[in-house]
């Protein structure tokens, strides 16, 4: 039998314990059998292995192969500068690995955070004596004492309780502290009032209990096991980079092999062909793409941090941009997490609390003030959010009242009401508050305009109608009643730590109905606009809350989450559904989940992902950690979130605001768009890097561009302009487009056509023109063999490199948009572009005119007039691309009108 269903004595017998506690010898034996009361790691990749993994992904392996070939070439045929190429590629791999690891190493700390949530010292009973021990030394069968403020160290079956209230929010998602008792309970363990769970908190009262589960056997432990067992998988961006690098690697390999074979066919020797094959491969592999993507994501994460979204995993920046569903909590995310009294119904009318005028001896306000366990500590309201809201209302309305509490009947889920007996002056009163359906039947009279009248059906109908009206506003509604002259006399004048509990039947009868107070957790003002953005962006928002369905629907209507009649699924019904039924429910346009548990949320996320959705999930409790990790994007709350949720998530909302999620989605879409921009920019330079090698082998001319000069472009001059493209602002209408489908790839045919067939060839024409222009001016004739250290040859290769740099300046402006004219977004709106161009030119001047640059890159100074010859090619490229965009816009406009 479950321990919650057993009587106190039977529970002790089952665990072979006693009210005097275990003996020290028995406790030591059980500690050896069960282990320490702590969360153990199920499986964890060592930090060193995670760092090494940065060197073994596909693009890194591709670069390792390139470096290895370079070193092999230098070993077999020294003097070609291939060793320097190899070291340069290894440097790229190392820098990117270190940078990425530093950004992401904190993402896997959920289990350590779980350990921190367990208390340090605990009061227990052993051998009939009370003592304090470390929480990790608790064993099943120990007797533990609980008091207000304690964090519960293990799963415990209560043996005694005195007004004990426990906040299970971090485990079950319930926002309110619940009264616990020690009577047997026949229902589910998680719902049992005689069970308190590890990691939850005692908010008031005291108790004593029997430990029945410790460490990984607790509910906390099961969540830890589930969290660590969930596989996150690759993000969409990571998948796209893998696909992109495989495509590029395949193209580079095929082209290298083809021209290697072609060289043999036309009579080239092995080493010329081998150097050529490596050169064409290096030219076609965008070595700078990975560090540029990494840096762009890091910059985006910094921008998002300024917008109150802290990104823990770099690839999550882009993943946000492709989410199709956001599963969000209500309290604190859609609402402000600030309970406040907003409406009062009394004297047959509903009024705003700010318009309420108190009467002499205002019994409604007396009830709100005195039937209340909230308190003021250091000028701050402390206690249950609902009760603090009522206390604030009453104090602001009637001020403090000199009264003494004589006794209390705490709230419980069966009675759904709370009552107190208070003495005001020389009179005693009973005050009750609770659910309307439990307070109204206990009333035989009602107060109207200061006069007590007999209860009748007409008044009941008016009260019930008002109650429904307030609930439909999304308010939590409490009813209030009182009567005079009952109760027990106070014993002495000193404080009563635990007031006596009178008989509810005699006390809570023949009451006078006072009225209703509606409390709201106001929606965040930014949320309606954020939801409108989501609707426009084709993102479905699903509320998953622990609150009741009626309140959830009302709030959803108020903020614009639902517009029609939503499908509402309660937790009790959810558990009975099979996967097919759940899939049908989730296909609804508008759906709300109410009274949900952690297991339920995890299942929703799993089904949505199986249906092809890209899911973002919010959460703040321990219970949310598995779902946060399972989702494509886990989003935790920075203010109200537990450490466990924060460590299991990919993003932390520093302001707990749903609108921040939408801002992050916009930033994510912008990042994806900007990555495509700078990939186009980087890929376009591959063609002028590759064409010289093709011309070298087919036309039997001197090699126009060396491998080190290619790396000067890929890892030097291109880097900052590409990063500047990564900082472009969102294009107009980016949040009015649907999420991109899974079938759409970052590098698609349109991007390849634009970079390789349109922009790249223009740059190739410029670089080859510059190369032959200098050779011809220097007297070179076709077929003449020229040595690599010849000044004319070095000047020609320098001009070829300079032509690529100059045309890339035109290209960086052309790539700022894919469809719109650059002039429509403002030519000077991205100042970083100009900083990038300045760096690009400064580096090129170093390469061309400084002796160190000449030595490293085998260049030679050129006349400034040569620059003037090349500059028109930059304008040609830019305006040719503007013309292409205009044609695309006209053709798309024509198709849309058909």
């Amino acid at each position: 039998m479950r321990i919650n269903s057993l009587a106190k004595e039977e529970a002790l017998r089952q665990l072979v314990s006693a009210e005097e506690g275990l003996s020290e010898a028995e406790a030591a034996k059980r500690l050896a059998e069960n282990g320490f009361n702590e969360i153990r790691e199920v499986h964890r990749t060592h930090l060193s292995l995670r760092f090494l993994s940065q060197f073994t992904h596909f693009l890194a392996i591709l670069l390792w192969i390139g470096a290895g070939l370079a070193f092999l070439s230098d070993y077999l045929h020294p003097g070609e500068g291939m060793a320097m190429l190899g070291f340069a590629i290894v440097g790229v791999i190392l820098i990117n690995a270190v940078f990425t690891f530093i950004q992401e190493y904190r993402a896997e700390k959920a289990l350590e955070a779980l350990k921190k949530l367990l208390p340090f010292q605990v009061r227990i009973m052993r051998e009939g004596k009370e003592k304090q021990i470390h929480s990790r030394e608790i064993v099943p069968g120990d007797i533990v004492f609980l008091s207000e403020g304690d964090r519960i160290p293990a799963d415990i079956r209560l043996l005694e309780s005195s007004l004990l209230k426990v906040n299970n929010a971090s485990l079950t998602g319930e926002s309110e502290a619940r009264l616990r008792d020690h009577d047997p309970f026949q229902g589910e363990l998680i719902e049992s009032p005689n069970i308190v769970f590890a990691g939850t908190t005692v908010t008031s009262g005291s108790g004593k209990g029997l430990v029945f589960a410790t460490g990984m056997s607790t509910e906390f432990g099961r969540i830890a096991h589930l969290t660590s067992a969930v596989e996150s998988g690759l993000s969409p961006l990571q998948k796209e980079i893998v696909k992109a690098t495989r495509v590029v690697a395949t193209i580079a390999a095929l082209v290298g092999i083809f021209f290697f074979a072609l060289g043999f066919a036309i009579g080239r020797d092995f080493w010329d062909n081998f150097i050529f094959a490596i050169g064409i491969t290096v030219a076609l592999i965008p070595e700078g793409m990975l560090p540029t993507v990494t840096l762009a994501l890091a910059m985006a994460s910094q921008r998002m941090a300024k917008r109150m979204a802290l990104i823990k995993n770099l690839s999550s920046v882009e993943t946000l941009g492709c989410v199709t569903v956001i599963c969000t909590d209500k309290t604190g995310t859609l609402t402000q997490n600030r309970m406040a009294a907003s409406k009062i119904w009394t004297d047959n009318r509903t009024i705003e609390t700010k318009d309420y005028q108190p009467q002499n001896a205002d019994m409604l306000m007396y009830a709100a003030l005195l039937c209340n366990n909230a308190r003021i500590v250091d000028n701050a309201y402390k206690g249950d959010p609902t009760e603090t809201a009522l206390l604030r209302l009453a104090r602001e309305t009637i001020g403090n009242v000199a009264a003494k509490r004589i006794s209390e009947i705490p709230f419980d889920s069966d009675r759904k009401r709370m009552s107190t007996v208070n003495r005001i002056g020389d009179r005693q009163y009973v005050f009750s508050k609770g659910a309307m359906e439990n307070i109204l039947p206990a009333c035989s009279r009602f107060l109207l305009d200061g006069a007590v009248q007999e209860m009748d059906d007409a008044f009941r109908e008016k009260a019930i109608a008002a109650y429904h009206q307030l609930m439909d506003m999304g308010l939590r509604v409490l009813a209030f009643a009182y009567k005079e002259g009952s109760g027990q006399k106070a014993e002495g004048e000193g404080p009563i730590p635990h007031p006596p509990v009178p008989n509810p039947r005699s006390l809570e009868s023949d009451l006078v109905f006072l009225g209703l107070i509606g409390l709201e957790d106001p929606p965040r003002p930014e949320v309606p606009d954020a939801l409108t953005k989501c609707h426009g962006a084709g993102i479905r928002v699903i509320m998953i809350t622990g609150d009741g369905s009626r309140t959830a629907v009302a709030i959803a209507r108020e903020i614009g989450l639902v517009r029609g009649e939503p499908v509402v699924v309660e937790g009790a019904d959810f558990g009975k559904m099979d996967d097919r039924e759940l899939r049908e429910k989730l296909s609804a346009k508008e759906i709300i989940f109410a009274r949900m548990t952690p297991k339920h949320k995890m299942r929703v996320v799993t089904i949505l992902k199986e249906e092809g959705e890209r899911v973002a999930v919010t959460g703040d409790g321990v219970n949310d950690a598995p779902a946060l990790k399972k989702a494509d994007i886990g989003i935790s709350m920075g203010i109200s979130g537990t450490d466990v949720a924060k460590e299991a998530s990919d993003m932390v909302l520093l302001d707990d605001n749903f609108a921040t999620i939408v801002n992050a989605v916009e930033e994510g879409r912008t990042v994806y768009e900007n990555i495509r921009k700078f990939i186009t920019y980087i890929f376009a330079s591959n063609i002028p890097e590759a064409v010289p090698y093709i011309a070298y082998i087919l036309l039997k001319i001197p090699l126009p561009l060396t491998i080190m000069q290619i790396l000067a472009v890929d890892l030097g001059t291109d880097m900052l302009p590409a990063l500047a493209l990564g900082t472009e602002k969102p294009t107009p209408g980016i949040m009015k487009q649907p999420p991109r489908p899974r079938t759409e790839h970052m590098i698609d045919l349109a991007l390849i056509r634009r970079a390789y067939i349109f922009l790249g060839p223009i740059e190739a024409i410029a670089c080859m023109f510059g190369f032959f222009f200098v050779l011809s001016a220097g007297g070179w004739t076709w077929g003449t063999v020229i040595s690599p250290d010849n000044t004319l040859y070095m000047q020609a290769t320098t001009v070829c490199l300079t032509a690529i740099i100059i045309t890339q300046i035109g290209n960086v402006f052309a790539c700022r948009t894919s469809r719109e004219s650059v002039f429509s977004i403002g030519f000077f709106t991205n100042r970083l572009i100009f900083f990038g161009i300045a760096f690009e030119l400064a580096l090129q001047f170093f390469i061309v005119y400084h002796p160190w640059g000449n030595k490293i890159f085998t260049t030679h100074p050129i006349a400034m007039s040569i620059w003037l010859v090349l500059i028109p090619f930059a304008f040609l490229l830019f305006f040719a691309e503007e013309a292409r965009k205009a044609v695309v816009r006209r053709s798309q406009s024509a198709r849309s009108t058909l």
Side-chain angles (χ1 to χ4, degrees):
M1 294 183 66
R2 294 183 178 180
I3 195 167
N4 59 311
S5 65
L6 301 178
K8 171 175 152 180
E9 295 77 13
E10 293 172 332
L12 287 167
R13 278 198 300 272
Q14 188 178 61
L15 285 165
V16 194
S17 185
E19 293 203 49
E20 294 76 24
L22 301 173
S23 67
E24 291 295 347
E26 179 64 21
K29 178 183 174 183
R30 295 189 185 192
L31 185 63
E33 292 174 352
N34 295 279
F36 287 113
N37 178 38
E38 58 188 10
I39 305 301
R40 298 188 300 274
E41 298 184 7
V42 178
H43 173 72
R44 193 75 179 276
T45 303
H46 193 273
L47 207 62
S48 59
L49 293 178
R50 290 172 56 207
F51 176 67
L52 290 175
S53 69
Q54 302 295 334
F55 295 92
T56 57
H57 54 75
F58 187 81
L59 185 52
I61 291 173
L62 195 64
L63 293 176
W64 279 121
I65 293 172
L69 290 173
F71 288 126
L72 177 63
S73 176
D74 185 77
Y75 175 75
L76 297 176
H77 200 262
E80 298 290 341
M82 300 302 287
M84 187 174 291
L85 168 65
F87 284 120
I89 295 175
V90 170
V92 172
I93 300 169
L94 181 63
I95 291 170
N96 185 74
V98 171
F99 183 80
T100 304
F101 176 74
I102 289 173
Q103 290 289 327
E104 297 184 356
Y105 83 103
R106 296 188 307 156
E108 300 294 330
K109 294 183 178 179
L111 294 172
E112 285 84 348
L114 277 165
K115 291 179 183 179
K116 293 175 184 177
L117 284 178
L118 291 176
F120 185 70
Q121 294 289 328
V122 181
R123 288 192 304 133
I124 66 166
M125 176 80 75
R126 281 192 184 162
E127 298 180 339
K129 296 178 182 178
E130 185 178 321
K131 61 184 296 187
Q132 281 196 339
I133 65 170
H134 196 287
S135 64
R136 71 196 297 261
E137 297 174 2
I138 286 178
V139 297
D142 266 329
I143 304 297
V144 176
F145 295 98
L146 303 172
S147 58
E148 185 173 333
D150 286 349
R151 192 177 293 279
I152 296 166
D155 288 356
I156 295 172
R157 162 65 159 92
L158 291 176
L159 304 177
E160 297 178 7
S161 60
S162 179
L163 304 179
L164 180 69
K165 284 190 175 182
V166 174
N167 189 333
N168 288 332
S170 63
L171 190 66
T172 65
E174 293 177 320
S175 59
E176 295 182 23
R178 295 295 183 185
L179 185 71
R180 305 287 88 180
D181 63 48
H182 53 272
D183 295 328
F185 181 78
Q186 300 301 321
E188 292 292 324
L189 190 73
I190 194 74
E191 302 291 340
S192 181
N194 62 18
I195 301 294
V196 291
F197 296 99
T200 59
T201 306
V202 178
T203 59
S204 63
S206 61
K208 184 173 77 171
L210 174 68
V211 174
F212 67 89
T214 59
M216 296 300 288
S217 298
T218 64
E219 288 296 314
F220 251 58
R222 293 190 185 97
I223 290 172
H225 189 284
L226 184 57
T227 301
S228 58
V230 173
E231 293 293 333
S232 300
L234 292 177
S235 73
L237 179 62
Q238 290 168 326
K239 293 175 183 176
E240 284 298 316
I241 289 177
V242 168
K243 290 176 184 175
T245 51
R246 284 176 179 168
V247 169
V248 172
T250 302
I251 293 173
L254 290 176
V255 171
I257 292 170
F258 173 76
F259 283 102
F260 184 78
L262 183 62
F264 274 114
I266 61 177
R268 294 270 187 180
D269 63 31
F270 175 82
W271 282 110
D272 282 342
N273 280 331
F274 186 69
I275 293 171
F276 166 77
I278 292 177
I280 196 72
T281 303
V282 170
L284 289 174
I285 294 175
E287 293 89 353
M289 185 175 78
L290 189 58
T292 306
V293 168
T294 304
L295 287 169
L297 291 174
M299 292 170 67
S301 70
Q302 292 171 2
R303 291 196 303 271
M304 293 171 77
K306 293 178 181 177
R307 300 180 77 175
M308 308 306 288
L310 179 63
I311 293 292
K312 295 171 55 190
N313 185 310
L314 287 184
S315 61
S316 301
V317 176
E318 183 276 335
T319 308
L320 273 162
C322 62
V323 298
T324 57
V325 177
I326 300 175
C327 297
T328 179
D329 295 325
K330 178 183 72 67
T331 303
T333 308
L334 299 174
T335 63
Q336 299 179 33
N337 201 22
R338 290 194 314 218
M339 193 70 75
S342 64
K343 303 281 186 184
I344 296 175
W345 184 84
T346 187
D347 294 334
N348 284 338
R349 60 195 179 98
T350 301
I351 55 177
E352 300 280 345
T353 52
K354 61 183 177 62
D355 298 325
Y356 181 73
Q357 296 297 323
Q359 304 170 3
N360 292 331
D362 192 313
M363 288 299 173
L364 179 59
M365 289 300 111
Y366 279 7
L369 180 72
L370 300 177
C371 188
N372 195 320
N373 283 326
R375 58 198 185 281
I376 300 174
V377 179
D378 297 328
N379 295 319
Y381 290 92
K382 301 290 184 181
D384 177 83
T386 299
E387 297 208 319
T388 57
L390 292 172
L391 181 60
R392 183 182 292 109
L393 169 67
R395 291 185 76 247
E396 291 175 354
T397 304
I398 62 172
N400 289 321
V401 174
K404 183 177 183 62
R405 179 175 295 187
I406 298 172
S407 62
E408 172 189 350
I409 306 175
F411 176 89
D412 65 55
S413 57
D414 293 328
R415 292 169 39 255
K416 293 184 180 178
R417 59 179 178 248
M418 167 188 177
S419 297
T420 61
V421 179
N422 299 86
R423 185 168 58 193
I424 305 174
D426 58 355
R427 295 187 177 185
Q428 288 188 172
Y429 297 89
V430 175
F431 295 106
S432 294
K433 75 168 188 281
M436 176 67 161
E437 58 269 26
N438 292 75
I439 291 290
L440 188 60
C443 297
S444 60
R445 295 164 292 168
F446 62 91
L447 191 68
L448 181 63
D449 296 326
V452 176
Q453 301 184 24
E454 293 297 320
M455 182 67 69
D456 56 31
D457 291 339
F459 181 84
R460 285 194 184 92
E461 290 175 1
K462 290 179 183 178
I464 292 171
Y467 173 61
H468 289 160
Q469 183 185 34
L470 293 176
M471 285 191 71
D472 289 338
M473 295 178 187
L475 304 180
R476 183 182 180 196
V477 185
L478 293 179
F480 294 81
Y482 88 108
K483 68 179 176 181
E484 185 178 350
S486 298
Q488 301 172 0
K489 293 184 179 180
E491 298 179 6
E493 296 301 322
I496 304 174
H498 300 296
V501 180
N503 184 348
R505 289 186 179 179
S506 61
L507 199 67
E508 298 174 333
S509 61
D510 195 28
L511 299 175
V512 177
F513 189 84
L514 292 169
L516 306 170
I517 297 179
L519 302 105
E520 68 173 341
D521 183 4
R524 292 181 179 273
E526 311 91 346
V527 166
D529 287 341
L531 287 168
T532 300
K533 272 189 176 182
C534 284
H535 293 144
I539 300 171
R540 195 155 59 114
V541 180
I542 299 175
M543 181 192 292
I544 302 179
T545 179
D547 287 339
S549 58
R550 193 159 187 166
T551 299
V553 170
I555 290 293
R557 290 194 191 285
E558 182 177 355
I559 60 179
L561 177 60
V562 299
R563 296 169 183 174
E565 290 299 326
V567 173
V568 179
V569 179
E570 290 261 3
D573 299 326
F574 183 92
K576 301 174 185 176
M577 291 182 184
D578 58 25
D579 286 354
R580 182 187 59 80
E581 291 176 289
L582 181 55
R583 289 178 204 277
E584 290 178 2
K585 295 287 186 183
L586 284 168
S587 66
K589 185 178 180 181
E590 296 177 338
I591 183 169
I592 292 173
F593 290 94
R595 301 295 186 197
M596 298 292 278
T597 69
K599 186 178 179 180
H600 294 159
K601 182 182 281 190
M602 177 78 165
R603 187 179 170 208
V604 170
V605 173
T606 302
I607 295 294
L608 285 169
K609 289 190 71 174
E610 288 175 358
E611 289 295 297
E613 305 285 359
R614 286 173 172 167
V615 187
V617 175
T618 68
D620 55 6
V622 174
N623 56 298
D624 293 314
L628 289 172
K629 196 166 183 182
K630 179 69 176 178
D632 293 294
I633 287 288
I635 304 170
S636 62
M637 305 297 113
I639 298 173
S640 62
T642 61
D643 288 344
V644 180
K646 291 174 186 175
E647 295 302 330
S649 64
D650 303 291
M651 182 176 90
V652 180
L653 294 185
L654 300 179
D655 58 357
D656 288 13
N657 195 338
F658 180 82
T660 302
I661 302 175
V662 181
N663 293 336
V665 169
E666 183 176 25
E667 187 71 45
R669 290 189 175 191
T670 303
V671 165
Y672 182 83
E673 187 178 69
N674 289 347
I675 288 176
R676 282 177 59 91
K677 291 175 184 176
F678 68 63
I679 286 178
T680 303
Y681 171 78
I682 291 171
F683 276 19
S685 66
N686 289 161
I687 299 302
E689 293 169 352
V691 165
Y693 279 84
I694 297 173
Y696 162 71
I697 197 167
L698 294 181
L699 304 180
K700 297 185 178 181
I701 61 173
L703 183 61
L705 198 67
T706 69
I707 293 176
M708 286 304 297
Q709 288 168 353
I710 290 173
L711 289 180
V713 176
D714 289 352
L715 301 177
T717 58
D718 271 2
M719 290 290 284
L720 281 189
L723 279 175
L725 286 173
T727 65
E728 285 287 339
K729 295 178 180 178
T731 55
I734 196 169
M735 287 300 285
K736 294 181 180 178
Q737 304 168 3
R740 71 175 187 275
R742 287 184 179 271
T743 54
E744 180 182 318
H745 299 302
M746 181 177 290
I747 300 177
D748 55 13
L749 189 59
L751 186 150
I752 291 174
R753 281 201 307 262
R754 184 185 179 197
Y756 284 173
I757 299 177
F758 188 79
L759 297 172
I762 296 176
E763 294 191 20
I765 291 170
C767 74
M768 295 305 295
F769 171 83
F771 179 73
F772 286 119
F773 179 83
V774 171
L775 286 181
S776 298
W780 176 81
T781 57
W782 201 281
T784 303
V785 177
I786 190 167
S787 65
D789 57 353
N790 183 283
T791 299
L792 179 63
Y793 172 72
M794 288 191 293
Q795 285 182 322
T797 61
T798 302
V799 172
C800 184
L801 172 64
T802 303
I804 297 175
I805 303 304
I806 288 175
T807 50
Q808 279 290 81
I809 292 174
N811 189 28
V812 74
F813 285 105
C815 289
R816 289 187 64 195
T817 63
S818 58
R819 183 174 170 271
E820 300 83 6
S821 169
V822 174
F823 296 101
S824 68
I825 64 171
F827 201 79
F828 300 98
T829 51
N830 188 346
R831 295 182 181 180
L832 285 179
I833 292 282
F834 296 93
F835 285 111
I837 291 172
F839 170 81
E840 188 174 25
L841 290 173
L843 182 57
Q844 182 62 11
F845 269 83
F846 169 79
I847 292 171
V848 174
Y849 297 108
H850 197 281
W852 290 357
N854 296 159
K855 183 176 181 180
I856 295 170
F857 297 99
T858 322
T859 56
H860 196 279
I862 59 175
M864 294 302 297
S865 59
I866 300 295
W867 290 75
L868 298 177
V869 173
L870 299 175
I871 287 174
F873 285 98
F875 287 98
L876 171 64
L877 183 148
F878 176 76
F879 286 108
E881 175 65 1
E882 283 289 296
R884 186 198 67 81
K885 293 173 186 175
V887 171
V888 170
R889 289 196 301 273
R890 279 198 297 271
S891 64
Q892 288 181 346
S893 177
R895 283 199 301 269
S896 64
T897 56
L898 294 177

